[in-house]
Amino acid sequence: MKTNDAAGLQVAIVDADEGARRKLRALLESMEPLRAVHEAGSPFEAARLIVDARPDLVFLDVDLPGAAAIPALRAPDAPCVAVIASGPQLALQGFDFEAIDFLVRPLARERLAGCLARARKRLAERRIAALALEIAAAAAAIRGVPSPRVGASRYPDQMTIRVRRRMFALAVDDIAWIEGASQYSRVHARTGDFLLSRSLSSLECELDPERFFRIHRSAIVNAACVREVMSRGDGRYNVYLHGGEALPLGRARRDVLDRLLGAKKSGGLSAAAS
């Protein structure tokens, strides 16, 4: 998804209703120049379209049966997703796709304009992050340090952090845990806390699952920073970090507990679960 802002966004509309697709397409094209507008009427068509056309933004009807099973929307390089629903309660399903916007029919022109602006902002942030990683890799090569993109692991050793007008590379090893809240995440590291305008799920895709564990819908922890895991006595567990933080382990993530304790033991560190 290498968008050229001058050429406009490349958009895909995924909706079983052909009339609804045409109406949205006409509305979008009347608002601003778009590089291309694609349409899909089924999850199968959408999966193939997203892989082949690589749109920047997908308008997804969550009322479409099977919409949640489109794998291309959950890939690390997934496009931005704007969820369209017939009611506010269904729009909440967009959290499964880390949607940049939640739109309720009938669609308002002003809301669509805001959605397009958010998509351009998110794409610009991705390009800046990619550029920062390239710069960090080039600097590492000059110093004779192996590039974070090179090696047996496909996961980077650094995360790009942007604070106001400054960008820098934060070593992944320095991250203790990451706290998620809607479309934002707060990275807790040895050098301080950093607020990012990125979702927890998008960051999770960039972290080595052998080292970082999603213990809760709003928390990812670095196994190396875990001091112990203890039962709360009510069937639930808390994960305690070396920094003193006590984080709850989600009820639906008991499999993570076994993996986390396994990682602790293989690393020669003690862990307790009683």
Side-chain angles (χ1 to χ4, degrees), residues 4-15:
N4 182 344
D5 289 338
L9 294 171
Q10 183 171 196
V11 172
I13 302 171
V14 181
D15 195 322

Side-chain angles (χ1 to χ4, degrees), residues 213-215 226 228-231 235-239 249-265 271-274:
F213 297 81
R214 183 82 170 261
I215 64 168
V226 174
E228 59 185 353
V229 181
M230 295 187 63
S231 171
R236 291 181 290 182
Y237 291 79
N238 277 348
V239 177
L249 179 70
R251 285 181 177 273
R253 300 183 183 274
R254 289 298 301 273
D255 61 317
V256 175
L257 174 62
D258 296 332
R259 291 172 51 226
L260 181 60
L261 294 178
K264 296 286 291 178
K265 291 174 183 177
S274 58

Side-chain angles (χ1 to χ4, degrees), residues 50-112:
I50 294 170
V51 171
D52 293 343
R54 297 181 60 81
D56 303 306
L57 172 62
V58 174
F59 287 95
L60 176 68
D61 175 19
V62 292
D63 296 326
L64 177 67
I70 301 175
L73 294 179
R74 302 178 185 277
D77 60 346
C80 297
V81 178
V83 166
I84 300 176
S86 56
Q89 68 280 4
L90 291 176
L92 293 177
Q93 297 180 26
F95 282 110
D96 293 338
F97 304 102
E98 304 299 331
I100 64 168
D101 209 344
F102 309 95
L103 306 172
V104 178
R105 293 189 175 92
L107 302 179
R109 190 181 185 89
E110 295 77 10
R111 290 285 289 118
L112 282 175

Side-chain angles (χ1 to χ4, degrees), residues 195-234:
L195 182 65
L196 305 181
S197 58
R198 295 184 59 189
S199 66
L200 196 65
S201 292
S202 69
L203 293 176
E204 182 181 18
C205 292
E206 299 178 8
L207 297 170
D208 187 347
E210 299 299 321
R211 301 168 56 197
F212 289 86
F213 297 81
R214 183 82 170 261
I215 64 168
H216 190 270
R217 63 179 298 182
S218 59
I220 295 174
V221 300
N222 183 345
C225 297
V226 174
R227 188 181 75 230
E228 59 185 353
V229 181
M230 295 187 63
S231 171
R232 295 169 51 177
D234 57 357

